[in-house]
Amino acid sequence: IVIQDITSISLNPSIIDIKMGKTCYPKSFVTIDEPADSSSILHAFVVKALEEEITQFPLLKELGFSIQDLYVTSSPEEKETSLFLGRQFLSTLTNKNIHVGFSRFFCPPNSGLNKIVIRFVILQLKFFKSMLSDLLKDNPCSFFNSSIIIVYDSFSHSVEVKLFDFRFVRIGVADEDECGLLFGIENMITQLEAQVL
């Protein structure tokens, strides 16, 4: 376990938390007909989580990612213009207007679209895609329930992009069609590239 304060790069961090992949849990977690004592709790948890996934992360299946939380901050002199976009706003995002969520994040109050930060994030996402593609060639596995967090300061242009949370990794089975991590990264790149055209 690595604990890191990724907001330390900035006094005024803007943060977005993005759930990645087509689903949070592999289907094999819920194929147990009569789970043993040790697995019954996990089985019940996953069944409930998969039911809630449809409402909590509606875009996972379609885009391979879903924005969970989004906080945009302004300069220290304009703290009242900082913006937290909660689940109510984020639940209105669809594959047709997901760009609105990214626009809100990369366009702080009283500022223009931060194309410098977006281009850096695209480079990092392309690095993740390349790294994972190479990894999966020799080490078949499937990643579920991972996330990407982006933190930036629109005034210093400092940026952090982290791919994390590998609680559910199926070793020995590379099922990109089910987990969709690369699919989600590719779609994020497409969405962000459209922001800087």
Side-chain angles (χ1 to χ4, degrees):
I1 295 175
V2 176
I3 298 175
Q4 181 184 10
D5 179 8
I6 60 172
T7 65
S8 62
I9 63 167
S10 170
L11 293 174
N12 305 289
S14 292
I15 306 165
I16 190 169
D17 181 4
I18 303 168
K19 182 66 69 182
M20 299 301 299
K22 292 181 180 178
T23 182
C24 294
Y25 305 96
K27 289 175 189 169
S28 59
F29 274 29
V30 290
T31 55
I32 308 165
D33 293 329
E34 293 183 11
D37 292 342
S38 61
S39 62
S40 59
I41 295 173
L42 174 63
H43 182 271
F45 167 78
V46 173
V47 168
K48 186 173 188 310
L50 285 169
E51 290 169 357
E52 293 175 348
E53 184 178 286
I54 297 168
T55 53
Q56 286 186 342
F57 311 116
L59 296 179
L60 285 183
K61 290 236 180 290
E62 205 167 348
L63 292 177
F65 70 87
S66 185
I67 300 174
Q68 281 191 276
D69 289 298
L70 193 159
Y71 178 78
V72 183
T73 191
S74 57
S75 68
E77 298 78 29
E78 300 174 326
K79 282 198 181 291
E80 69 279 1
T81 61
S82 296
L83 179 66
F84 174 74
L85 297 174
R87 296 287 168 91
Q88 186 172 359
F89 165 77
L90 297 174
S91 66
T92 67
L93 298 179
T94 68
N95 66 329
K96 296 191 186 328
N97 70 354
I98 189 70
H99 64 278
V100 173
F102 286 123
S103 294
R104 291 278 186 96
F105 178 64
F106 290 109
C107 190
N110 304 321
S111 302
L113 187 66
N114 202 322
K115 293 187 177 184
I116 294 172
V117 171
I118 295 174
R119 289 191 179 102
F120 179 84
V121 171
I122 291 170
L123 286 174
Q124 285 296 106
L125 292 174
K126 287 181 175 178
F127 169 73
F128 293 155
K129 179 185 171 185
S130 173
M131 177 190 67
L132 287 167
S133 297
D134 289 344
L135 172 72
L136 294 175
K137 283 177 191 171
D138 300 320
N139 306 280
C141 55
S142 302
F143 296 91
F144 296 90
N145 212 9
S146 296
S147 296
I148 286 178
I149 281 195
I150 303 167
V151 180
Y152 79 93
D153 185 316
S154 59
F155 303 96
S156 68
H157 298 303
S158 53
V159 190
E160 286 276 1
V161 185
K162 299 289 185 182
L163 174 62
F164 71 104
D165 198 350
F166 304 108
R167 288 178 293 168
F168 299 108
V169 179
R170 222 166 33 172
I171 307 295
V173 180
D175 191 350
E176 174 60 18
D177 283 340
E178 185 183 1
C179 73
L181 178 57
L182 286 172
F183 172 71
I185 291 173
E186 288 166 1
N187 279 331
M188 269 189 70
I189 291 169
T190 300
Q191 289 289 335
L192 294 179
E193 284 180 335
Q195 297 273 335
V196 293
L197 289 178

